[in-house]
Amino acid sequence: MPAAVRRGPVAQPRDPLHGVTLEMIVTALAGHYGCAGLAERVPMRCFSSQPSVSPSLKFLRKTPWAREKVESLYLFMLRERARRG
């Protein structure tokens, strides 16, 4: 049997979420929209009631549908920034 070939990390040039942590996403969205704006766009208690990064991350890591919404909003924010230049 041949020895396993070790390969380096595979680059993901077309995936804008590659290498971006959930904490980075939540922080960027809160910085861009503000806590109130983020709660309007993604109506979840973790953003509207005593918003902070740590509890939001716990909730988003346990709830796949919520994480998808936040990631989708992040991608929308990136597209809007790219359009504006």
Side-chain angles (χ1 to χ4, degrees):
M1 234 168 148
V5 178
R6 185 164 198 195
R7 298 179 187 184
V10 178
Q12 300 289 328
R14 293 184 181 238
D15 184 7
L17 294 177
H18 182 74
V20 180
T21 65
L22 189 56
E23 182 176 5
M24 293 166 66
I25 291 172
V26 171
T27 304
L29 289 172
H32 184 75
Y33 295 113
C35 291
L38 183 55
E40 279 180 24
R41 287 165 178 82
V42 184
M44 294 179 209
R45 231 181 317 189
C46 66
F47 296 135
S48 60
S49 175
Q50 299 177 340
S52 68
V53 174
S54 181
S56 299
L57 292 175
K58 281 184 179 181
F59 175 74
L60 294 171
R61 287 184 181 125
K62 293 178 182 179
T63 317
W65 62 265
R67 183 179 182 139
E68 286 177 22
K69 285 187 174 210
V70 170
E71 288 174 347
S72 177
L73 180 62
Y74 179 73
L75 294 174
F76 176 77
M77 181 190 76
L78 292 179
R79 284 192 303 271
E80 288 297 307
R81 283 184 177 175
R83 284 185 192 143
R84 292 183 188 152

